Amino acid sequence: MLETAKVRKDAFIPKALALADIPVPFWITESSQLPKAMGSYVLVMQLAEDKTIAIGKLGVFNLRAGRYYYVGSAMGAGGLASRVGRHFRADPDKKLRWHVDYLRAEMTLVGCWVWQSATRLECAIAQQLTELANDNESLSCIAKVGSSDCRCSSHVFCSIDAI
Ligand SMILES: [Zn+2]
């Protein structure tokens, strides 16, 4: 079920990205809604309380309670259904493979903005959110998290207060 209040709270994402000519995404709250096609996504998670979290080899981060946004893409076989479906499953025994897995293990999944596109949009999305974070005190970058394969300063963003 689509929860309007949650969509409204996180709607700054498509608004900010529209400024960079990034197409309008759709909002998904159930893994059954995920297309099998390739695409990019912003995973929206909630951390209920302040927490110290070790993220693989990156080290230990003191994270404040709030909304967390992870920017990724699904270009492999199985597309968005496979990659994002993995994030949707709250399995305590899931192997921690990517940076985002360490965050997901401690957070509640709120939903996911999804772009069904064979063009890899993830770095353009991350760069636009970095610019927004530079201009807006409510949004911050979690340095280096999720961006070990590219030149972006981060693919993870945090909002302590709703923007
Ligand atoms: Zn990037």
Side-chain angles (χ1 to χ4, degrees):
M1 277 298 288
L2 199 115
E3 295 179 47
T4 316
K6 287 177 179 173
V7 173
R8 204 175 296 131
K9 185 171 179 179
D10 299 297
F12 77 92
I13 297 249
K15 278 185 205 152
L17 298 179
L19 302 173
D21 290 332
I22 293 169
V24 178
F26 52 100
W27 174 249
I28 279 178
T29 55
E30 303 283 345
S31 57
S32 59
Q33 300 168 305
L34 292 163
K36 290 189 174 70
M38 290 189 283
S40 300
Y41 60 91
V42 176
L43 199 69
V44 182
M45 297 170 287
Q46 180 77 30
L47 181 64
E49 53 191 20
D50 295 359
K51 211 160 198 176
T52 301
I53 299 177
I55 303 179
K57 291 175 186 163
L58 274 184
V60 173
F61 292 74
N62 295 312
L63 299 180
R64 304 258 320 269
R67 275 285 208 268
Y68 286 79
Y69 305 93
Y70 167 73
V71 187
S73 61
M75 294 297 168
L80 290 156
S82 170
R83 173 63 69 92
V84 184
R86 186 177 182 279
H87 297 316
F88 270 71
R89 284 191 296 278
D91 174 5
D93 299 325
K94 188 163 67 182
K95 200 172 165 224
L96 302 177
R97 183 172 166 193
W98 291 292
H99 291 159
V100 61
D101 293 340
Y102 295 86
L103 300 176
R104 173 67 184 100
E106 304 287 347
M107 298 183 189
T108 310
L109 190 81
V110 177
C112 193
W113 291 109
V114 166
W115 290 260
Q116 190 175 315
S117 167
T119 305
R120 191 185 287 269
L121 296 170
E122 65 170 308
C123 292
I125 294 167
Q127 277 156 26
Q128 186 63 16
L129 292 181
T130 301
E131 280 185 33
L132 184 67
N134 289 341
D135 295 342
N136 190 320
E137 287 179 6
S138 302
L139 190 72
S140 51
C141 292
I142 311 295
K144 308 258 187 237
V145 182
S147 60
S148 41
D149 299 333
C150 64
R151 291 186 185 174
C152 298
S153 48
S154 180
H155 274 215
V156 175
F157 301 85
C158 169
S159 166
I160 303 306
D161 308 308
I163 291 181

